[in-house]
Amino acid sequence: MSLADDLYRETILDHYHQPRNQGVLEGPSVLTVEGVNPLCGDELTLYLDVKDGLIADVAIKSHGCSINTASASMMTESVKGQPLAKVQTLIDTFKKMMMEKDSQVTLPEEMEELEVLEGVKKYPVRIKCALLPWNTLLEGLQCSATGAGQAKPKVVTSE
Amino acid sequence: MLACPKMFDIDTIRKDFPILEREIEGRKLVYLDSAATSQKPQSVIDALVNYYADYNANIHRGVHTLSEEATAAYEGVREKIQAFIGAPQSKEIIFTRNATEAINLVASTWGKQNIKAGDEILLTPLEHHSNLVPWQMLAAEVGAKIVFAELTADGRLDLDSCRRLITSKTKLVAMTQMSNVLGTIVPVAAVAKLAHAQGALMLVDGAQSVPHLPVAVKELGCDFLVFSMHKMLGPTGVGVLWAPAEILESMPPYMGGGDMISAVWRDRALYNQLPWKFEAGTPNIADVIASGAAIDYLAQLGMDNVRAHEVEITEYALKRLRDLPGITIYGPESSQDRGGVISFNFAGLHPHDLGQIVNEDGVAIRVGHHCCQPLMRDMNVTGTARASFYIYNTKEEVDALYKALENAQKVLGHVACR
Ligand SMILES: Cc1ncc(COP(=O)(O)O)c(C=O)c1O
């Protein structure tokens, strides 16, 4: 399979050119988290509105590469409206798929589309691009749980 | 003597670099990342192997044959480098691990001794992190201030800003002679005059210039020059610091240990003379020796010829790349004002994606912030794609880059364009 088939598949490019939930959220309950990919310097800002144990709304502002942008876009679609416990499972599942060598993860319905990112695994430097939004969301959930309104910019690693 | 081409004949040159035969993804390698590190000619590889195979030994103080041979080879390279940069004395050549370590050496010795609270260090926005962070660390420690000269819109140094910003408070001016992002060639000799007029010293980061331009320390008029051998055909692990002997004599040692002493007691030590005062511990003998072969190679080509070749390639590349729709090319317009480095972006495409797709065609370019994050912020981008050229690059390779970029645009744009 060529790289274009692996990485630059239509789903990815579609989300890259028309990212979902791009933008800024405002409001007293909105939490802001910044993610930085130290490898390439890409930054993203995640806006998270948690209400009644659900992700009521989520938005991302970024100028990332295709992998990063598509991952963020698909992530927001899969977690929006979901209860926090479920979101945690989605994050764990995605990270498992991306980080374990021969992971045989079956993705739940909410995130089936994200399977296209599995091809990124062949390109180790790019895994971080795919993980950045998810690690930023994780940080957001932790801030939300501890009541810390604003998180310090989180430097994302592939752990 | 090693076989080196006498004239600048690109076919002969290319045959000296075994790696250029490599295939990537079934295509011939097109290596356009020499600003990060250059490829190595066979003579450098041989010098490295011969040392280990024939006369591997620790240097200095050895009385046996191997040690004498190794010492002579190691010290011989100091003289080659002295001649290469026109330094008055070989003891002014200090070997370090890389340009970064050479800058850190100056910051922790001369810097700590001479830069005090309220003093200023003038840098430019072009600096690589390695000529920025050591000064930030020093400034934080002693309470000094970092001041930045300004750039013109096309990324050249604004000399007027230097005239304005270099004052009696300035103790050090440190700048690159060639930007590794924009390719800008900086008129460091003119800045050195301004610095000296205010009693400041001048450090030149030659990491990009020494490999690509004829450089003579007398003409630069600087007080410190640093560079890395791995960017100029040599192996990794060897950097050079040059400074006039009087300045080096006045500086405290950088690291303590073997080789940097002339006598040691339980409670004190007498430091060695130059250059060994700054070379504590067993140095990188093998790579210094192989660096000698790199210097021989460049010296035989002639740095004027190296520069002329790069101007030609860069001019051609600028002309071709400007044709690509949606491209932004950063840095000075004229190839006379720049080295063989071209940074660019395409509207709506991320450099990371570009770099990966052109790799499919065997084309190696660098993408990202190039260790110049403050400059990226000034340029309002998170990164760029960068092609950089050296003695072995051809116009055909520029054409290969052009085609690969065209293809990348197709791959990445195809959803949007439909
Ligand atoms: C302008 C400039 N300065 C300094 C450096 C640092 O060189 P090294 O990593 O060999 O210390 C580089 C290397 O990329 C450079 O381009």
Side-chain angles (χ1 to χ4, degrees):
Chain A
M1 238 189 356
S2 87
L3 171 103
D5 300 330
D6 260 2
L7 271 192
Y8 297 103
R9 316 232 318 238
E10 260 185 56
T11 326
I12 292 184
L13 291 174
D14 174 40
H15 281 273
Y16 177 47
H17 292 295
Q18 281 136 24
R20 327 294 195 257
N21 301 303
Q22 263 280 332
V24 176
L25 295 184
E26 279 167 22
S29 57
V30 173
L31 199 134
T32 311
V33 193
E34 281 174 32
V36 178
N37 183 342
L39 267 178
C40 58
D42 277 353
E43 299 168 350
L44 65 78
T45 312
L46 176 97
Y47 301 89
L48 196 59
D49 194 359
V50 177
K51 277 194 195 118
D52 309 323
L54 293 181
I55 294 194
D57 206 355
V58 56
I60 284 181
K61 194 155 174 49
S62 73
H63 302 279
C65 64
S66 60
I67 306 302
N68 177 261
T69 307
S71 178
S73 170
M74 290 188 256
M75 177 187 85
T76 58
E77 285 193 313
S78 64
V79 302
K80 203 161 161 174
Q82 301 280 5
L84 296 184
K86 176 82 189 211
V87 173
Q88 186 66 51
T89 328
L90 296 180
I91 297 175
D92 293 344
T93 312
F94 182 74
K95 288 183 78 166
K96 190 166 167 167
M97 174 178 93
M98 296 307 292
M99 289 166 67
E100 284 179 16
K101 232 180 169 182
D102 302 305
S103 62
Q104 304 267 308
V105 199
T106 334
L107 295 177
E109 207 182 320
E110 298 84 351
M111 55 191 297
E112 263 174 350
E113 226 186 4
L114 282 150
E115 203 195 324
V116 295
L117 287 172
E118 204 175 358
V120 175
K121 271 165 93 166
K122 277 201 226 156
Y123 309 91
V125 276
R126 303 304 293 279
I127 295 177
K128 286 180 208 247
C129 309
L131 286 178
L132 178 64
W134 296 81
N135 282 335
T136 313
L137 176 62
L138 200 58
E139 180 73 8
L141 292 184
Q142 275 155 12
C143 294
S144 159
T146 58
Q150 298 268 328
K152 284 247 172 312
K154 179 168 169 60
V155 175
V156 170
T157 64
S158 55
E159 278 124 50
Chain B
M1 204 55 235
L2 304 155
C4 284
K6 290 225 175 43
M7 282 172 20
F8 201 99
D9 178 54
I10 189 90
D11 294 329
T12 321
I13 290 173
R14 287 184 67 85
K15 285 202 192 85
D16 289 332
F17 290 79
I19 208 166
L20 297 179
E21 293 299 312
R22 243 207 91 163
E23 293 195 343
I24 305 288
E25 311 283 344
R27 311 278 186 103
K28 201 151 185 201
L29 167 68
V30 175
Y31 187 75
L32 302 179
D33 194 19
S34 294
T37 196
S38 77
Q39 295 302 347
K40 325 298 175 198
Q42 190 62 48
S43 60
V44 168
I45 301 167
D46 288 346
L48 194 58
V49 171
N50 289 344
Y51 162 73
Y52 284 122
D54 295 342
Y55 58 102
N56 170 58
N58 211 329
I59 53 170
H60 302 147
R61 297 174 313 283
V63 291
H64 57 78
T65 303
L66 296 186
S67 180
E68 278 172 1
E69 286 177 9
T71 305
Y74 179 88
E75 292 301 332
V77 176
R78 214 185 288 281
E79 283 163 22
K80 286 181 184 184
I81 291 178
Q82 175 203 353
F84 190 74
I85 61 170
Q89 308 181 63
S90 68
K91 67 177 182 184
E92 299 173 337
I93 305 296
I94 311 294
F95 289 121
T96 62
R97 280 190 306 135
N98 45 38
T100 303
E101 190 179 54
I103 294 170
N104 278 276
L105 188 163
V106 175
S108 351
T109 58
W110 183 87
K112 265 186 211 164
Q113 203 172 41
N114 293 284
I115 297 182
K116 305 273 181 293
D119 288 346
E120 293 183 357
I121 301 167
L122 184 107
L123 309 176
T124 81
L126 297 171
E127 301 319 311
H128 189 281
H129 295 163
S130 68
N131 195 30
L132 169 58
V133 181
W135 306 119
Q136 290 175 340
M137 289 163 67
L138 176 68
E141 193 179 324
V142 303
K145 189 175 157 201
I146 294 180
V147 176
F148 289 90
E150 288 155 22
L151 300 182
T152 62
D154 63 346
R156 286 172 301 123
L157 181 67
D158 178 355
L159 266 178
D160 280 336
S161 77
C162 295
R163 280 186 201 104
R164 189 159 30 84
L165 294 167
I166 299 174
T167 67
S168 58
K169 282 192 186 166
T170 314
K171 288 291 168 311
L172 178 75
V173 175
M175 59 180 65
T176 183
Q177 194 185 358
M178 187 196 289
S179 162
N180 63 310
V181 174
L182 301 177
T184 315
I185 296 174
V186 178
V188 288
V191 182
K193 289 209 181 90
L194 298 174
H196 291 155
Q198 296 290 348
L201 295 201
M202 172 87 180
L203 178 142
V204 171
D205 173 359
Q208 293 296 339
S209 59
V210 175
H212 300 278
L213 304 175
V215 168
V217 293
K218 278 237 178 66
E219 284 162 30
L220 295 185
C222 63
D223 306 288
F224 302 100
L225 174 69
V226 305
F227 53 97
S228 280
M229 289 306 305
H230 71 90
K231 292 186 198 282
M232 46 194 290
L233 311 183
T236 52
V238 181
V240 173
L241 164 67
W242 169 82
E246 312 81 78
I247 295 181
L248 291 171
E249 306 275 14
S250 77
M251 287 159 46
Y254 179 43
M255 288 196 277
D259 250 26
M260 55 75 72
I261 47 82
S262 52
V264 181
W265 296 266
R266 280 196 166 182
D267 59 346
R268 74 205 141 92
L270 201 59
Y271 304 136
N272 206 341
Q273 322 156 336
L274 294 178
W276 306 291
K277 172 179 152 189
F278 291 106
E279 294 179 9
T282 300
N284 190 346
I285 305 167
D287 292 311
V288 166
I289 289 174
S291 296
I295 295 286
D296 287 342
Y297 197 99
L298 288 172
Q300 292 201 33
L301 280 181
M303 291 308 289
D304 286 318
N305 296 329
V306 170
R307 171 68 180 149
H309 172 71
E310 287 180 23
V311 169
E312 193 181 327
I313 289 282
T314 307
E315 209 153 279
Y316 180 71
L318 284 171
K319 202 172 85 204
R320 287 234 61 190
L321 296 186
R322 278 189 192 120
D323 270 3
L324 286 163
I327 198 170
T328 304
I329 296 177
Y330 304 100
E333 293 260 316
S334 156
S335 54
Q336 296 300 329
D337 292 333
R338 62 194 294 159
V341 173
I342 303 180
S343 270
F344 54 90
N345 267 324
F346 286 95
L349 300 186
H350 193 280
H352 240 161
D353 293 318
L354 272 183
Q356 188 135 35
I357 295 175
V358 301
N359 181 60
E360 286 283 284
D361 289 325
V363 178
I365 59 172
R366 188 146 292 251
V367 295
H369 54 60
H370 316 293
C371 294
C372 291
Q373 285 189 323
L375 178 62
M376 295 293 125
R377 288 198 191 93
D378 292 351
M379 290 159 67
N380 217 358
V381 296
T382 54
T384 71
R386 179 188 76 185
S388 56
F389 311 114
Y390 209 9
I391 53 174
Y392 33 69
N393 290 120
T394 63
K395 288 185 181 167
E396 290 73 42
E397 290 181 310
V398 173
D399 295 337
L401 170 68
Y402 180 93
K403 270 209 202 103
L405 288 173
E406 226 176 12
N407 174 52
Q409 281 189 299
K410 254 182 242 149
V411 171
L412 284 169
H414 88 275
V415 170
C417 298
R418 247 185 337 188

